[in-house]
Amino acid sequence: MRTPLLAGNWKMYMTVAEAVELVQTLLDNLEMVGDREVVVCPPFTALHPLSPLLSESPLQLGAQNMYPADSGAFTGEISPVMLLELNCRYVIVGHSERRQLFGEDDTLIARKTRSALEHGLTPILCVGETQTERAAGQAEMIVLGQLRAALGDLAGEQVAEIVLAYEPVWAIGTGLTASPLDAQTMHAAIREALRVHYGTDTANEVRILYGGSVKPDNIDVLMGQADIDGALVGGAALKADSFLRIVHYHSTSS
Ligand code: PGA
């Protein structure tokens, strides 16, 4: 059984004061959610103040990025060792904004994925096609290509630890969501590719999140799809009431 995972990607929003306030509201209103995991990924500056608030709480801490080295002359970067010191359990890797705006390529994303795993951090590895690629009928080819490149020669046991996030680029921050059926179709294709490369057990273990304009009014149907194991939520994770509604989803098939 795959434990559903709901993760908030706060991007470059939230001062420390705002972050603390949001987390306190989330903690005050989170219902018993023992059957699912809930993660917040604030900006780096908020990780340290949030860390003690979240210890022994049902909320887990994740980072939005990391550099694949323990330490070194990498101005402006944050290492997995630094994230672990702050009790981060997850790290987002290969988000489309990192790929598009900061030039991250498949090689760097593969290194980050491997480094996170080696340090015991769970990568939330993002893949997704652009609108042009989808219109050209290349969505699946692009997504599976990104996946292959990021996973490289990792062994099946390592792959089983990874969380994947299918985030169609055209759905991020636009209010356009992939239809539950389109999302399910891609998730099933990803799982099938994992099955072919790593076997059925690994494929059945990997959690695949959907991301891209996830909102309170579409989460229930998305979570009702067989291969959607959670959500990576941007804009709707910045307000306590909408994120809480997403976390407290009730999956439905239509
Ligand atoms: P969105 O962002 O929910 O605001 O579309 C999702 C993401 O970028 O992870």
Side-chain angles (χ1 to χ4, degrees):
M1 265 303 282
R2 300 184 290 270
T3 306
L5 193 159
L6 294 307
N9 170 15
W10 293 5
K11 309 194 180 187
M12 199 175 73
Y13 294 101
M14 297 275 152
T15 62
V16 168
E18 290 165 344
V20 168
E21 194 185 333
L22 175 56
V23 154
Q24 266 157 354
T25 311
L26 293 176
L27 289 176
D28 287 346
N29 294 283
L30 210 55
E31 290 164 14
M32 289 305 288
V33 281
D35 61 340
R36 54 197 79 170
E37 284 189 69
V38 186
V39 179
V40 290
C41 303
F44 287 131
T45 46
L47 289 174
H48 189 246
L50 291 185
S51 178
L53 291 179
L54 297 190
S55 71
E56 294 175 36
S57 89
L59 274 181
Q60 302 183 77
L61 203 51
Q64 297 176 22
N65 188 23
M66 56 162 249
Y67 190 78
D70 287 7
S71 61
F74 301 107
T75 301
E77 296 295 317
I78 303 280
S79 88
V81 176
M82 295 166 181
L83 298 181
L84 287 169
E85 187 188 19
L86 299 177
N87 301 317
C88 284
R89 299 274 307 280
Y90 290 89
V91 59
I92 299 172
V93 171
H95 191 279
S96 61
E97 286 152 16
R98 302 287 329 163
R99 293 178 193 258
Q100 294 195 326
L101 303 174
F102 303 98
E104 289 198 10
D105 62 12
D106 284 337
T107 310
L108 180 58
I109 292 164
R111 285 174 57 213
K112 290 184 178 195
T113 304
R114 176 175 286 273
S115 170
L117 286 169
E118 285 170 357
H119 284 85
L121 282 163
T122 301
I124 301 177
L125 170 62
C126 303
V127 291
E129 83 286 358
T130 63
Q131 180 66 283
T132 316
E133 290 160 345
R134 175 158 283 262
Q138 297 172 338
E140 194 173 307
M141 185 188 81
I142 294 290
V143 165
L144 298 185
Q146 290 173 345
L147 188 64
R148 252 193 318 276
L151 299 183
D153 58 359
L154 290 175
E157 311 87 75
Q158 292 173 296
V159 172
E161 299 296 316
I162 294 177
V163 173
L164 298 176
Y166 168 55
E167 297 206 308
V169 177
W170 48 270
I172 295 178
T174 56
L176 302 171
T177 325
S179 72
L181 184 62
D182 281 347
Q184 164 58 24
T185 302
M186 185 63 83
H187 283 226
I190 292 171
R191 204 176 302 287
E192 174 59 15
L194 293 173
R195 195 189 62 72
V196 169
H197 287 275
Y198 305 101
T200 304
D201 289 351
T202 299
N204 286 341
E205 269 180 69
V206 174
R207 289 178 290 180
I208 311 174
L209 315 183
Y210 170 77
S213 296
V214 173
K215 299 276 182 291
D217 62 8
N218 56 27
I219 185 69
D220 293 347
V221 186
L222 286 165
M223 290 306 293
Q225 309 302 310
D227 289 292
I228 298 185
D229 307 311
L232 183 55
V233 186
L238 296 172
K239 293 237 163 60
D241 54 354
S242 56
F243 191 58
L244 284 163
R245 174 62 185 84
I246 288 168
V247 167
H248 298 146
Y249 72 87
H250 305 279
S251 56
T252 143
S253 50
S254 59

